[in-house]
Amino acid sequence: MPVYKAPLRDMKFLLNEVFDYPGHYQRLASGANASPDIVDAILTECGRFCEEVLSPLYQSGDEQGCTLTDGEVTTPDGYKAAYQQYAEGGWQGLSAPEEFGGQGLPASMGLLKQEMMGTANWSFSMYPGLSLGAMNTIFLHGSDDQKHTYLTPLTEGRWAGTMCLTEPQCGTDLGQVKTKAEPQADGSYKLTGTKIFISSGDHDLTENIVHIVLARLPDAPKGTRGISLFIVPKFMPADGANGSGVGARNGVSCGSLEKKMGIKASATCVINFDGATGFLIGPENEGLNCMFTFMNTARIGTAIQGVGPAELSYQWALDYARERRSMRALSGKKEPDQVADALIHHGDVRRMLLTQKAIAEGGRAMLYYAARLADHMVEGHSEGDLEKAERYDDKLGFLTPILKGFLTEMGCEAANLGMQVFGGHGYIREHGMEQIVRDTRIATLYEGTTGIQALDLLGRKVLLMTQGGAVREFTLKVANFARKQLTDKRLRPFAVELLKLTAQWNLLTVRVMLAARKDRDVVSAAAYDFLMYSGYVTMAYMWLRQSAVAVDKLSNGGEESEAFYQAKLATAEFYYERLLPRAQSHATSMLSPTASLMQLEDEHMAFTG
Amino acid sequence: MPVYKAPLRDMKFLLNEVFDYPGHYQRLASGANASPDIVDAILTECGRFCEEVLSPLYQSGDEQGCTLTDGEVTTPDGYKAAYQQYAEGGWQGLSAPEEFGGQGLPASMGLLKQEMMGTANWSFSMYPGLSLGAMNTIFLHGSDDQKHTYLTPLTEGRWAGTMCLTEPQCGTDLGQVKTKAEPQADGSYKLTGTKIFISSGDHDLTENIVHIVLARLPDAPKGTRGISLFIVPKFMPADGANGSGVGARNGVSCGSLEKKMGIKASATCVINFDGATGFLIGPENEGLNCMFTFMNTARIGTAIQGVGPAELSYQWALDYARERRSMRALSGKKEPDQVADALIHHGDVRRMLLTQKAIAEGGRAMLYYAARLADHMVEGHSEGDLEKAERYDDKLGFLTPILKGFLTEMGCEAANLGMQVFGGHGYIREHGMEQIVRDTRIATLYEGTTGIQALDLLGRKVLLMTQGGAVREFTLKVANFARKQLTDKRLRPFAVELLKLTAQWNLLTVRVMLAARKDRDVVSAAAYDFLMYSGYVTMAYMWLRQSAVAVDKLSNGGEESEAFYQAKLATAEFYYERLLPRAQSHATSMLSPTASLMQLEDEHMAFTG
């Protein structure tokens, strides 16, 4: 069974050489303890945990899945012990405030951890991942009492959390939420309703589970403006020996587990609230706003699921391509003493591997680029500087649909290519490649489908909120950087191409904006292509950033890792030559008329039956 | 549970209106009985069988899978009864020679049947599908005795067949086959070795299974030139009451069943030959040639797996998009009385549905276009006119890698889009969408991966065998057709675009050919992009063919199915505007230098561990 290897060299390259995280951390209050050697030690230790503890549970967890017996969910063998190690290692509180038992490190450190855990074992990583969502919500919107009660056990990982948003009739459309919350004399509420698709909705990893639930107060306005947010614990909190303990069972139960294509070790629950006791968090009827405060950060978390599978399937496909022998290379025998050449000598196999590599490393760079903004956003909140928090959230808000939408689509492509490298063997479960494809496939669906990300980017962030300003601001930064690289002969072709693309991106934005004034359908018709175009250009920027560092290091000579930098340049070249051209097909498609798309009558879309 | 509806309207449109199958059948000896009303009756009856018998077993078969107990494979509940109906209906012999109990209809009729069966239930359709491979091989290369013994029970469906090619060390590289065949005094052979990935290798549907096996005679030359072909029955044939009966069990056994991502109701077996009795078929050491005689026809069979899933997932996604309500259309409320608009009113959902529709219908047209050539090829063989058979096989040989490679890739895209239309529900097994994705995923892997198809097309068919002539010949036909459509105002934009593409296709071929003279790696580096480019252009030709008929019918007025033709034109427009632009990104990529792809040292491709 293949195992995950933490790509520490690439991670440190991005952190220390490309994005100057040491300098960035020095400027952050929470970065005081994040000196390079501490960061290094944390990455190494986290990598070891992921390689040795989480990776070996990847396939067995899929095979076994979760089970629901007498209303209680059991996770696959080994998950509880692994979670125990995770909690005892203090990993859940890595980026959490020290006052609640956390280590107070920058938010980006938490994302690095999530990346490694998610790559080694996405299903496992969802349990603590969902808790982080609950922690952020309580930290930002909870009363002092609520923080006191819930944040410490959540930070310590003794308790876990969930986010209970959608219902059978809702999907993305949360305005259709029906769950009712009735006020009680003691200030609490009784919640009644059914939530679906609740990740980590029930499990045996922690002594308690804290549900964050969207529900309606009596007489609340219809639609999204009538939704409030509640804390509903599985067991009522009680003062225990080490802080919060658990008391009576609340009226929350797991009705069933979904049978899914993948992430089978992650419990996806139907959660029933039968007059369950809940506590209002945040202002009445502002539940959606409260829930979405950390949406951009959460979406980076999901974007990780584009990068992780690309990395994992690349690692395994590369190993296989080195070992498996088939046919001879077209340019002549490469291993004449062997019965055939290894797969890695075939151009088309290299095309697939380099596509995976370009996606994994280019995508990782996009994550780390955005994570710096998330650090500033979180710092704004910690300092109570809401203006600062919002400013950085806006910057982040432009990038997150690109990261979430584009990277998860690319992650699926990379995972499928990894499977393709294995040929027919890729389809066989024991090799693990098909599991990566199945697990990854959820990423373009949950936390807002690709289509929703695309509408958020083009309709909301670019057109409605900034009239193109978000693109102008970002491309200005990109173009400034690109211009500085024009003088280097290796970087010049990339920089020239990127400069063209920044101009084109603005032009496309204006053209879509003008077209949309006459025809509102243009926005939804163009959104997907606009998203993908934006993703390819953003990734091109990341490859230029990495290339610039590589050229710099190589020109200083005597580098022990010369091969590493040469490989970066080769991968950048591959990306610019063989993947980036796709941006042009998206540019062409997005400007097409909407007639063929919108005018075909529903009843004429098929003539069967 | 959703069900399959046979798209008879579209099938008849292609057969009768676009490709003039009635005229084509009149010119075929085997077409004497294929009058339009007979074809119509067969399609209707086959569609009914697929809708009522095969479709309901689609999900249950996946859920249950096959089991191996005491060396015997059991298919899922209902499969045996369905197969019984299939055999009793005479479906297996539809295109088989009458002298062996078949109906003697043209080969294309068999493909129409396979398309419907494969769309309703791909796993089921593989059992009779593999038998067809064995039947073709015996028909072409078997002795009279062998034909007498095997063809009748195979044609009647009382027996089934397999193709035993690959082994654990082989994959595509059949030169590495090790299975041994030792001559016996009675003229038979004893076969010893292990074959893997044997579809329908064992099952409970028929009383006997006839394995067609690649093996080496003692002292055979190394590599592909030392491989011979053998018939190895599971039970030795014996004269029975109704022709061939079965006698003693042969030394063939199923060692294990593969656990796969999908097509779980299809038994994929490890087959062990332990001194099994076999009979040489065809000349010694020419086994690969014999095996590959019908390769092009077989590959159309696999190409069907691109079209079927696109059709099925389109049908189900369309139903869902009509029923499920979420959000409001950007251009204003479409269903003001409802809580939200149906998904089908959202531009991005329509983009996904129309992509599926364009792939399903454009791909179907590609199949039916090629199937006419297959009819002529088969007729050549039936008439003993090998020159004719080869001429049509060459025409077909240019198209089959495009059909198999491009359509199976597009089928995966279409299936994934269908899942995407369902949002998170697409990931849940009960809706069936994720099963289509899993089942379809094998299509780009078996019968030669996409990479192998791409090399076959560019390296073999285009460059080596015809020095670009295959492209010239095909594009000439396309361009001639396109030129005739220039005068119609609705067709002109398509025709102009297609004319540009035919010229570009030739230009690209020449440029790749010249580049390959200096750098052999160009061929494998460019092959995938060349394949996909070829696919998009071929599909564009099919959409112009369909559009030309639509315009013609509409201009004649009074058509009861005006909406059908309008929908064809809208879909063609969608294809030309929003999918065809991708051809240009492939054109750019294929001409990129090979340095970034080929020069990165193997050991520098990753820096982990």
Side-chain angles (χ1 to χ4, degrees):
Chain A
M1 197 189 69
V3 290
Y4 164 69
K5 293 276 174 204
L8 295 176
R9 179 68 186 91
D10 195 53
M11 294 173 75
K12 290 179 196 170
F13 166 71
L14 293 173
L15 292 175
N16 301 325
E17 304 173 55
V18 180
F19 296 121
D20 185 26
Y21 267 76
H24 166 68
Y25 283 161
Q26 277 184 8
R27 291 184 291 274
L28 287 179
S30 61
N33 293 327
S35 63
D37 53 334
I38 296 273
V39 171
D40 213 79
I42 290 174
L43 292 184
T44 302
E45 188 53 29
C46 185
R48 193 203 55 74
F49 174 71
C50 294
E51 292 173 0
E52 296 175 10
V53 179
L54 298 189
S55 180
L57 298 174
Y58 181 64
Q59 284 183 285
S60 60
D62 177 68
E63 201 64 49
Q64 193 181 356
C66 292
T67 46
L68 175 66
T69 316
D70 299 332
E72 302 285 331
V73 173
T74 308
T75 56
D77 293 344
Y79 273 53
K80 198 166 177 174
Y83 185 84
Q84 201 69 24
Q85 275 196 56
Y86 171 82
E88 282 169 6
W91 291 110
Q92 184 67 349
L94 197 65
S95 302
E98 287 172 291
E99 61 177 309
F100 301 110
Q103 298 186 43
L105 288 163
S108 52
M109 290 296 299
L111 284 168
L112 298 176
K113 173 196 75 174
Q114 278 179 268
E115 181 205 333
M116 284 193 274
M117 288 177 60
T119 309
N121 191 331
W122 186 266
S123 284
F124 180 92
S125 75
M126 288 184 70
Y127 293 100
L130 269 292
S131 292
L132 288 174
M135 285 159 68
N136 284 335
T137 307
I138 297 171
F139 180 72
L140 279 183
H141 302 291
S143 65
D144 285 345
D145 245 20
Q146 289 170 337
K147 290 185 195 175
H148 173 78
T149 306
Y150 296 101
L151 281 182
T152 303
L154 281 169
T155 303
E156 291 173 352
R158 281 191 292 118
W159 294 6
T162 78
M163 306 294 273
C164 297
L165 286 73
T166 201
E167 301 180 5
Q169 72 287 356
C170 290
T172 301
D173 193 355
L174 294 173
Q176 295 188 43
V177 157
K178 286 180 184 166
T179 296
K180 279 186 290 190
E182 292 184 88
Q184 305 298 304
D186 63 357
S188 71
Y189 296 79
K190 292 274 182 219
L191 275 80
T192 304
T194 297
K195 296 286 179 179
I196 62 164
F197 295 167
I198 308 308
S199 300
S200 318
D202 193 53
H203 54 76
D204 55 359
L205 303 180
T206 56
E207 65 189 36
N208 201 3
I209 299 173
V210 181
H211 302 285
I212 307 289
V213 186
L214 291 180
R216 289 187 184 283
L217 294 170
D219 309 319
K222 277 191 181 172
T224 53
R225 278 172 229 166
I227 298 177
S228 305
L229 200 56
F230 299 86
I231 301 179
V232 184
K234 176 178 175 183
F235 293 98
M236 300 310 292
D239 285 336
N242 52 357
S244 301
V246 298
R249 178 76 192 241
N250 198 358
V252 189
S253 60
C254 174
S256 66
L257 280 175
E258 301 289 356
K259 284 191 179 183
K260 309 185 299 293
M261 181 187 205
I263 54 166
K264 294 185 180 183
S266 165
T268 308
C269 304
V270 172
I271 296 287
N272 295 317
F273 297 91
D274 301 304
T277 299
F279 308 99
L280 183 70
I281 175 169
E284 287 184 5
N285 298 329
E286 292 186 22
L288 277 189
N289 285 343
C290 295
M291 181 73 102
F292 285 146
T293 314
F294 261 85
M295 182 50 89
N296 285 322
T297 318
R299 283 191 171 159
I300 303 183
T302 314
I304 289 176
Q305 205 180 358
V307 175
E311 172 68 36
L312 190 64
S313 70
Y314 175 59
Q315 290 187 9
W316 296 358
L318 181 59
D319 281 351
Y320 190 76
R322 284 166 167 167
E323 285 162 19
R324 176 83 177 177
R325 291 175 199 293
S326 187
M327 322 294 273
R328 293 297 182 184
L330 285 193
S331 52
K333 287 185 186 181
K334 293 291 182 284
E335 299 174 287
D337 300 341
Q338 302 285 351
V339 62
D341 291 335
L343 291 181
I344 200 166
H345 297 298
H346 298 298
D348 189 63
V349 172
R350 284 181 158 254
R351 173 188 66 79
M352 296 191 275
L353 291 170
L354 279 160
T355 303
Q356 294 185 287
K357 185 178 194 291
I359 293 170
E361 297 177 9
R364 182 174 296 120
M366 286 167 73
L367 292 177
Y368 292 15
Y369 178 80
R372 283 181 51 143
L373 300 174
D375 281 340
H376 290 297
M377 195 274 275
V378 171
E379 184 161 84
H381 279 297
S382 301
E383 292 168 349
D385 183 348
L386 287 188
E387 185 277 323
K388 175 176 171 181
E390 253 176 57
R391 187 156 34 93
Y392 280 99
D393 200 39
D394 284 348
K395 287 179 198 286
L396 202 56
F398 171 69
L399 289 174
T400 46
I402 301 178
L403 264 64
K404 199 283 182 185
F406 173 74
L407 288 181
T408 58
E409 292 285 338
M410 298 304 279
C412 287
E413 175 177 343
N416 273 294
L417 287 175
M419 192 170 162
Q420 197 71 20
V421 169
F422 275 67
H425 291 277
Y427 202 67
I428 307 298
R429 296 190 63 170
E430 65 178 295
H431 294 290
M433 302 306 287
E434 63 87 36
Q435 186 189 341
I436 304 177
V437 172
R438 283 186 292 108
D439 286 356
T440 308
R441 189 61 187 81
I442 187 62
T444 70
L445 296 166
Y446 63 9
E447 299 295 326
T449 61
T450 304
I452 292 293
Q453 303 299 328
L455 277 179
D456 181 49
L457 176 68
L458 178 61
R460 217 163 139 260
K461 268 64 181 271
V462 171
L463 298 186
L464 190 68
M465 287 168 63
T466 68
Q467 294 80 45
V471 174
R472 283 194 299 279
E473 188 187 328
F474 184 66
T475 51
L476 192 65
K477 192 189 298 266
V478 174
N480 281 338
F481 181 81
R483 260 188 292 274
K484 287 184 201 145
Q485 319 308 324
L486 287 170
T487 50
D488 181 86
K489 130 176 135 329
R490 293 203 69 169
L491 300 176
R492 189 178 164 80
F494 305 155
V496 167
E497 180 63 25
L498 192 54
L499 282 168
K500 278 192 226 163
L501 288 164
T502 53
Q504 185 186 34
W505 196 354
N506 279 294
L507 188 65
L508 289 168
T509 306
V510 171
R511 291 183 64 181
V512 168
M513 191 155 35
L514 293 176
R517 283 195 196 147
K518 292 182 201 155
D519 174 5
R520 284 295 296 160
D521 286 323
V522 164
V523 179
S524 63
Y528 168 78
D529 286 307
F530 188 87
L531 170 80
M532 296 304 286
Y533 178 93
S534 305
Y536 283 112
V537 180
T538 305
M539 194 175 265
Y541 173 42
M542 292 299 121
W543 274 112
L544 182 58
R545 296 274 311 241
Q546 297 184 73
S547 301
V549 173
V551 162
D552 183 51
K553 296 281 175 174
L554 286 168
S555 70
N556 289 333
E559 268 301 325
E560 62 178 30
S561 53
E562 179 176 340
F564 177 84
Y565 299 114
Q566 293 289 9
K568 279 289 175 194
L569 286 172
T571 312
E573 207 168 300
F574 175 85
Y575 179 79
Y576 272 82
E577 288 173 356
R578 292 182 186 261
L579 299 181
L580 190 53
R582 298 180 192 174
Q584 294 314 313
S585 71
H586 291 294
T588 308
S589 297
M590 85 175 77
L591 292 171
S592 302
T594 62
S596 69
L597 196 60
M598 302 308 297
Q599 289 173 12
L600 187 58
E601 295 289 334
D602 169 3
E603 61 266 37
H604 297 155
M605 287 191 76
F607 295 84
T608 50
Chain B
M1 195 190 70
V3 290
Y4 164 70
K5 293 274 174 207
L8 295 177
R9 179 69 187 91
D10 196 53
M11 295 173 75
K12 290 179 196 169
F13 166 71
L14 293 173
L15 293 175
N16 301 326
E17 303 174 55
V18 180
F19 295 122
D20 185 25
Y21 266 74
H24 165 68
Y25 283 161
Q26 279 184 4
R27 290 186 290 274
L28 286 180
S30 62
N33 294 326
S35 63
D37 53 334
I38 295 274
V39 170
D40 215 79
I42 290 175
L43 293 183
T44 302
E45 188 53 29
C46 185
R48 194 204 54 76
F49 174 70
C50 294
E51 291 173 2
E52 295 176 9
V53 180
L54 299 189
S55 182
L57 298 174
Y58 182 63
Q59 284 183 285
S60 60
D62 178 69
E63 201 63 49
Q64 193 181 358
C66 292
T67 46
L68 176 66
T69 315
D70 300 332
E72 303 286 332
V73 172
T74 308
T75 55
D77 293 344
Y79 273 54
K80 199 166 174 173
Y83 184 83
Q84 201 70 24
Q85 275 196 56
Y86 171 82
E88 283 167 7
W91 291 110
Q92 184 67 349
L94 196 65
S95 303
E98 288 173 286
E99 60 177 308
F100 302 110
Q103 299 185 43
L105 288 163
S108 52
M109 289 296 299
L111 285 167
L112 298 177
K113 172 196 75 176
Q114 277 179 268
E115 181 206 333
M116 285 193 273
M117 288 178 59
T119 309
N121 191 332
W122 187 265
S123 285
F124 180 92
S125 75
M126 288 184 71
Y127 294 100
L130 268 292
S131 291
L132 287 175
M135 285 159 68
N136 284 334
T137 307
I138 295 171
F139 180 72
L140 279 183
H141 303 291
S143 64
D144 284 345
D145 244 22
Q146 288 170 340
K147 290 186 195 175
H148 173 78
T149 306
Y150 296 101
L151 281 183
T152 303
L154 281 168
T155 301
E156 291 173 352
R158 282 191 291 117
W159 294 7
T162 78
M163 304 294 273
C164 297
L165 286 74
T166 201
E167 301 179 6
Q169 73 287 353
C170 291
T172 301
D173 193 355
L174 293 173
Q176 295 187 45
V177 156
K178 285 181 186 166
T179 296
K180 279 186 293 190
E182 292 184 88
Q184 306 297 304
D186 65 355
S188 71
Y189 296 80
K190 291 274 180 217
L191 275 81
T192 305
T194 297
K195 295 287 178 179
I196 62 166
F197 294 166
I198 308 308
S199 299
S200 319
D202 193 54
H203 55 76
D204 55 359
L205 302 181
T206 55
E207 63 188 37
N208 201 6
I209 298 173
V210 181
H211 302 285
I212 307 289
V213 187
L214 291 179
R216 287 186 185 282
L217 295 170
D219 308 320
K222 277 192 180 171
T224 52
R225 276 172 231 166
I227 297 177
S228 306
L229 200 57
F230 298 86
I231 300 179
V232 184
K234 178 177 174 182
F235 292 98
M236 299 312 291
D239 285 337
N242 52 356
S244 302
V246 299
R249 177 77 192 241
N250 198 359
V252 189
S253 58
C254 174
S256 66
L257 280 175
E258 302 289 357
K259 285 192 178 180
K260 309 184 299 293
M261 182 188 205
I263 53 167
K264 293 184 181 185
S266 165
T268 308
C269 305
V270 172
I271 296 287
N272 296 316
F273 297 91
D274 301 304
T277 298
F279 308 98
L280 183 70
I281 175 168
E284 288 186 4
N285 298 326
E286 290 187 23
L288 277 190
N289 285 344
C290 294
M291 180 72 102
F292 285 146
T293 313
F294 261 85
M295 181 52 89
N296 285 322
T297 318
R299 282 190 172 159
I300 302 182
T302 315
I304 289 176
Q305 205 180 358
V307 175
E311 173 68 36
L312 189 65
S313 71
Y314 174 59
Q315 290 188 8
W316 296 357
L318 180 59
D319 281 350
Y320 190 77
R322 285 167 167 166
E323 284 161 21
R324 176 82 176 176
R325 293 175 198 291
S326 187
M327 323 294 273
R328 291 296 181 185
L330 286 192
S331 51
K333 286 184 187 182
K334 294 290 181 286
E335 298 174 286
D337 300 341
Q338 302 286 349
V339 61
D341 291 335
L343 291 180
I344 201 165
H345 298 297
H346 298 298
D348 189 63
V349 172
R350 285 180 157 254
R351 173 189 65 81
M352 297 192 276
L353 291 170
L354 278 161
T355 303
Q356 294 184 288
K357 184 177 194 293
I359 293 171
E361 297 176 9
R364 180 174 297 119
M366 287 168 72
L367 293 177
Y368 292 14
Y369 178 80
R372 282 181 53 141
L373 300 174
D375 281 340
H376 290 297
M377 196 274 276
V378 170
E379 182 161 83
H381 279 298
S382 302
E383 295 168 347
D385 183 348
L386 287 187
E387 185 278 326
K388 176 177 171 180
E390 252 177 58
R391 187 153 37 89
Y392 279 100
D393 200 40
D394 284 349
K395 286 179 198 287
L396 202 55
F398 169 69
L399 289 174
T400 45
I402 300 178
L403 264 64
K404 199 283 181 185
F406 173 73
L407 288 181
T408 59
E409 292 285 338
M410 299 304 280
C412 286
E413 176 177 342
N416 274 292
L417 287 176
M419 191 170 162
Q420 197 71 21
V421 169
F422 275 68
H425 291 276
Y427 202 67
I428 306 299
R429 296 192 63 172
E430 65 179 295
H431 294 289
M433 301 307 286
E434 63 87 35
Q435 185 189 343
I436 304 177
V437 173
R438 284 187 290 106
D439 286 356
T440 309
R441 188 62 187 83
I442 187 62
T444 70
L445 296 167
Y446 63 8
E447 299 295 326
T449 60
T450 305
I452 292 293
Q453 303 299 329
L455 277 179
D456 181 48
L457 176 67
L458 179 61
R460 215 162 140 264
K461 268 67 180 266
V462 171
L463 298 185
L464 190 68
M465 288 167 62
T466 67
Q467 292 82 47
V471 174
R472 281 194 301 279
E473 187 188 330
F474 184 67
T475 50
L476 192 64
K477 190 189 300 267
V478 175
N480 281 338
F481 181 82
R483 258 188 294 273
K484 288 183 202 147
Q485 319 309 323
L486 286 170
T487 50
D488 181 86
K489 131 177 137 324
R490 293 202 70 167
L491 299 176
R492 189 179 164 81
F494 306 154
V496 167
E497 181 62 25
L498 191 54
L499 282 168
K500 278 192 222 160
L501 288 165
T502 53
Q504 184 187 35
W505 196 354
N506 280 293
L507 188 66
L508 290 168
T509 305
V510 171
R511 290 183 65 180
V512 168
M513 192 156 36
L514 293 176
R517 284 195 194 146
K518 292 183 198 151
D519 175 4
R520 284 295 295 161
D521 286 323
V522 164
V523 178
S524 63
Y528 168 77
D529 286 306
F530 188 87
L531 171 81
M532 296 304 287
Y533 177 92
S534 306
Y536 282 112
V537 180
T538 306
M539 195 176 264
Y541 173 42
M542 293 299 119
W543 274 112
L544 182 58
R545 297 273 312 242
Q546 296 183 75
S547 301
V549 173
V551 163
D552 183 50
K553 297 279 176 175
L554 287 168
S555 70
N556 290 332
E559 267 301 327
E560 63 178 30
S561 53
E562 178 175 342
F564 178 84
Y565 300 114
Q566 293 289 8
K568 280 288 175 195
L569 285 172
T571 312
E573 207 170 300
F574 176 85
Y575 179 78
Y576 272 82
E577 288 173 355
R578 292 183 186 259
L579 298 181
L580 190 53
R582 299 180 191 173
Q584 295 313 313
S585 71
H586 291 293
T588 308
S589 296
M590 85 174 78
L591 293 171
S592 301
T594 62
S596 69
L597 196 61
M598 301 310 295
Q599 289 173 12
L600 187 58
E601 296 288 335
D602 169 4
E603 62 265 35
H604 298 156
M605 287 191 75
F607 296 84
T608 50

